[in-house]
């Protein structure tokens, strides 16, 4: 029963209403988070008690539960993190979704029976990254949303790892795990679950002379991914799981999106055709959409909505008159009282809930396509403005009613037998399990004979359970009697046993082992390194030189790797992506490996990584904790590098601004200019300000850092 469903529909769950919505819509699995360690810290999320309830309740329905533990873990958090993981494992969670490479290694070695999935935050976007994930012990990986379908096919054909891909919902502008934008402007971090959504803010795109190139003010705001029309290609490819984004979205959104993808998948598997419910698509568009793209998955280049970063709803009309704070609208679609509207043109957008409106000066509560309505507004509105419906009271109430009814049912069959001189017998069957219980020997009585109709009526009544009757078979001798209450007790007991059996079929064999790793000792050094493409920046201060272009330097290779052929040499390389660990020798890992704890350092050293650069987001106090614990646990010294001065890469984008010719800078609302540099097919966005470590160099050398790096991007 707990085998993975091929082509699983995986639904997002941010609160209890969304959980019931996902179940009702027919999901195969849900993903969610506890109160800590999840990458959507601003979702409501769940207490430990709620997680236990959800796991058991989902398992009753044959639905798997994946808990996101996909933030970077600081050294001071490891003990609490491991306690949470053990709690989840003991309560039969189906898998954890994780980003932190050290925690993956620790959890895999400590709890070998716990299934682990690699988060999209791991930036796995090529075959070698997938192979490295297999070596790490991951059962499944969530591929980077930028991964095209031909690369996914290559990974599928050349690995045994399960593949999960996003099929619907919000997209990040940057490769996940590579974005430092939020932490560069404030205390929040996408790698720590507190992304501030910088990409949804307005920016000017400038050329080198400061001329503004963009008309739409949101050049980083991605459209929503929508692949429903191409689901057949993904099914035929053998993808394990189709993931819907949306842990911060409403229960209505979770319900309708899950329903659409589930029904479309089921129809294709049954009839080999893509058949999409257009009415449901209209409901989805009304509930939430930022306009759509088929994504980099299917080579769509039109991936941003420059004009608006928010929900667009559906167009239902146009303003045909405005006078004295009253507008007249010619409707293209229906409207009801309590619907949400947004009026937009090129200069503004104005949103509100409709409390009253009129047709021919008569107040009405509904209006239809082609009707002309009037209503009061609190803003000057331009004639010709578009009218969007951004919420529908009717749709919300309809979906809420469906969710509250909890109509998802498990089909069961009853076999009942009552024959002379033998105990009565009741058997229950679902699609996997079979249970039989026995009652008393029935009496022989011609006056009080029990009937098949009475038995059938009693067995049919399962309304207050998760089950529905598929079939009832009754084998009954004549002239027998037993109290109908006995059958009722048998039915209650056998349903309870089936419930337990369904839940227990997901029970894990809990094993906890001692963590072990084999490491070498590194000498303690006090060295300086520089990353630069300009020889003039180099002085005798620097013992180590990194560059993308300079001869006789350690070559920094791209963070997005489609081909390693140019790097298959004996040279040393500075790498920032996981596939390099599988493909290359003589590597030093860069800060984008997001190393924030001693377990990550140890794992990378165990693979032969010569030096590990710590995360740019790690606080000074956690550096001290990391090194002290490394010494205490392994009795060895690590070879660590720390960047003390840089204008960091705050984003790495596959979307490369081709529509903005000669783009050089991105200017934010405060006049800060972020440099845009295109390298190959990847765009890098550099911070406007220099980041420096707070303490003097000697402080970090005394802590145990071997190399301090300064970076100069031109």
């Amino acid at each position: 029963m707990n085998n993975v469903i091929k082509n699983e529909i995986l639904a997002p769950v941010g609160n209890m209403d969304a959980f019931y919505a996902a179940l009702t819509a027919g999901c195969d699995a849900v993903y969610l988070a506890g109160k800590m360690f999840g990458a959507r810290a601003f979702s409501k999320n769940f207490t430990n008690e709620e997680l236990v309830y959800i796991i058991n309740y989902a398992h009753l329905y044959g639905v798997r539960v994946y808990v996101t533990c996909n933030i970077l873990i600081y050294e001071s958090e490891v003990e609490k993190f491991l306690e949470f993981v053990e709690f989840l494992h003991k309560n039969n969670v189906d898998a954890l979704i994780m980003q932190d490479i050290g925690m993956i290694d620790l959890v895999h070695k400590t709890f070998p029976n716990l299934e682990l999935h690699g988060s999209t935050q791991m930036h796995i976007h090529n075959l070698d990254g997938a192979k490295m994930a297999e070596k790490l012990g991951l059962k499944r990986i969530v591929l980077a949303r930028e991964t095209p379908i031909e690369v996914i096919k290559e990974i599928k054909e050349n690995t045994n790892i399960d593949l999960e891909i996003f099929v619907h919902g919000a997209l990040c502008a940057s490769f996940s795990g590579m974005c430092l934008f939020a932490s560069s402007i404030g205390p929040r971090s996408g790698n720590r679950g507190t992304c501030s959504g910088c990409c949804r803010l307005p920016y000017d795109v400038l050329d080198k002379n400061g001329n503004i190139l963009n008309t739409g003010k949101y050049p980083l705001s991605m459209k929503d991914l929508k692949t429903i029309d191409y689901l057949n290609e993904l099914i035929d490819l053998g993808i394990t799981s189709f993931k819907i984004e949306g842990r911060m979205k409403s229960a209505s959104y979770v319900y309708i999106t899950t329903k659409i993808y589930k029904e479309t998948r089921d129809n294709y598997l049954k009839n080999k055709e893509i058949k999409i419910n257009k009415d449901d698509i209209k409901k989805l568009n009304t509930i939430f959409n930022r306009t759509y793209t088929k994504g980099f998955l299917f080579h769509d280049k039109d991936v941003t909505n420059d004009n608006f970063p928010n929900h667009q709803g559906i167009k239902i009309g146009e303003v045909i008159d405005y006078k004295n704070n009253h507008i007249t609208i010619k409707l293209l679609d229906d409207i009801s009282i309590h619907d949400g509207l947004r009026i937009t043109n090129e200069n503004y957008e104005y949103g509100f809930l409709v409390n009253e409106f009129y047709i021919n000066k008569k107040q009405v509560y509904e209006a239809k396509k082609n009707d002309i309505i009037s209503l009061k507004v609190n803003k000057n509105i331009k004639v010709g403005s578009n009218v969007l419906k951004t919420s529908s009271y009717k749709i919300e109430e309809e979906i809420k009613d469906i969710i509250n009814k909890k109509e998802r049912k498990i089909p069961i069959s009853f076999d009942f037998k009552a024959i002379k001189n033998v105990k009565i017998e009741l058997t229950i069957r679902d699609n996997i399990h079979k249970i039989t219980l026995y009652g008393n020997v029935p009496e022989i009585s011609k006056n009080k004979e029990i009937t098949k109709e009475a038995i059938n009526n009693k067995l049919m009544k399962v309304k207050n359970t998760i089950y529905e009757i598929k079939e009832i078979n009754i084998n009954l001798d004549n002239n027998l009697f037993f109290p109908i209450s006995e059958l009722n007790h048998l039915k209650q007991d056998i349903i309870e046993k089936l419930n337990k059996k369904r839940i227990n079929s997901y029970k894990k064999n809990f094993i906890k082992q001692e963590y072990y790793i084999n490491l070498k000792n590194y000498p303690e050094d006090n060295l300086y390194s520089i990353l630069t493409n300009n020889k003039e920046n180099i002085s005798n201060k620097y013992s180590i030189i990194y560059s993308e272009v300079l001869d006789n330097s350690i070559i920094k290779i791209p963070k997005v790797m489609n081909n390693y052929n140019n790097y298959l040499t004996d040279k040393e390389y500075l790498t920032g992506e996981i596939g390099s660990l599988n493909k290359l020798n003589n590597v030093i890992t860069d800060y984008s490996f997001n190393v924030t704890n001693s377990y990550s350092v140890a794992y990378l050293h165990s693979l032969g990584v010569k030096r590990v650069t710590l995360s740019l987001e790690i606080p000074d106090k956690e550096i001290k904790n990391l090194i002290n614990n490394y010494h205490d646990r392994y009795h060895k010294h690590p070879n660590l590098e720390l960047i003390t001065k840089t204008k960091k890469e705050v984003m790495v984008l596959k979307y490369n601004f081709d529509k903005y010719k000669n783009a050089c800078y991105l200017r934010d609302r405060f006049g800060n200019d972020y440099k845009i540099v295109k390298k190959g097919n990847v765009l890098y966005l550099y911070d406007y300000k220099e980041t420096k470590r707070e303490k003097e160099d000697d402080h970090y050398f005394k802590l145990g850092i071997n190399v301090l790096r300064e970076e100069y991007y031109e």
Side-chain angles (χ1 to χ4, degrees), residues 26 98 122 124 144 253 257 288 428 446 491 512 557 627 638:
M98 298 176 67
M122 291 187 74
I124 298 173
Y253 173 89
T257 313
F288 196 90
I428 192 170
K446 293 183 179 180
K491 184 184 74 172
K512 186 175 182 180
I557 67 176
I627 295 172

Side-chain angles (χ1 to χ4, degrees), residues 40 58 71 161 166 197 461 539 660:
R40 287 292 180 269
I71 66 168
I161 202 163
F166 281 94
K461 294 177 181 178
S539 70
Y660 306 118

Side-chain angles (χ1 to χ4, degrees), residues 10-41:
L10 176 56
V13 169
N15 56 52
M16 201 60 79
D17 288 341
F19 171 63
Y20 291 126
L23 282 185
T24 304
C27 69
D28 303 306
V30 296
Y31 67 104
L32 45 82
K35 292 295 185 181
M36 298 176 67
F37 309 121
R40 287 292 180 269

Side-chain angles (χ1 to χ4, degrees), residues 400-431:
K400 189 183 298 182
D401 184 56
I402 292 169
I403 295 170
N404 288 339
K405 287 178 181 177
K406 297 182 176 67
E407 292 181 330
R408 180 170 178 171
K409 298 293 182 181
I410 307 298
I412 58 170
S413 299
F414 281 123
D415 297 324
F416 179 79
K417 184 189 292 186
I419 58 178
K420 293 175 183 177
N421 304 319
V422 178
K423 291 180 178 181
I424 62 174
E425 178 182 313
L426 180 64
T427 298
I428 192 170
R429 288 176 283 117
D430 61 9
N431 57 330

Side-chain angles (χ1 to χ4, degrees), residues 638-650:
N639 194 8
L640 296 178
E641 187 161 354
L642 183 68
I643 299 170
T644 58
K645 180 181 176 182
T646 184
K647 278 192 176 181
K648 59 192 171 190
E649 298 165 344
V650 294

Side-chain angles (χ1 to χ4, degrees), residues 329-348:
I329 301 170
K330 173 70 178 292
L331 290 178
L332 302 172
D333 209 326
D334 301 348
I335 186 175
S336 300
I337 203 80
H338 306 311
D339 285 353
L341 294 186
R342 185 183 298 131
I343 300 174
T344 69
N345 68 18
E346 64 274 10
N347 297 317
Y348 64 80

Side-chain angles (χ1 to χ4, degrees), residues 15 105 171 259 352 582:
N15 56 52
D105 184 53
L171 292 169
K259 178 177 183 286
F352 57 97
N582 185 68

Side-chain angles (χ1 to χ4, degrees), residues 96-130:
L96 303 183
I97 305 171
M98 298 176 67
Q99 171 191 6
D100 191 299
I101 196 168
M103 291 301 97
I104 292 171
D105 184 53
L106 173 62
V107 171
H108 178 59
K109 287 174 177 172
T110 306
F111 305 111
N113 282 351
L114 179 56
E115 185 172 313
L116 303 180
H117 299 172
S119 169
T120 189
Q121 292 287 120
M122 291 187 74
H123 182 52
I124 298 173
H125 60 280
N126 56 34
L127 174 59
D128 285 284

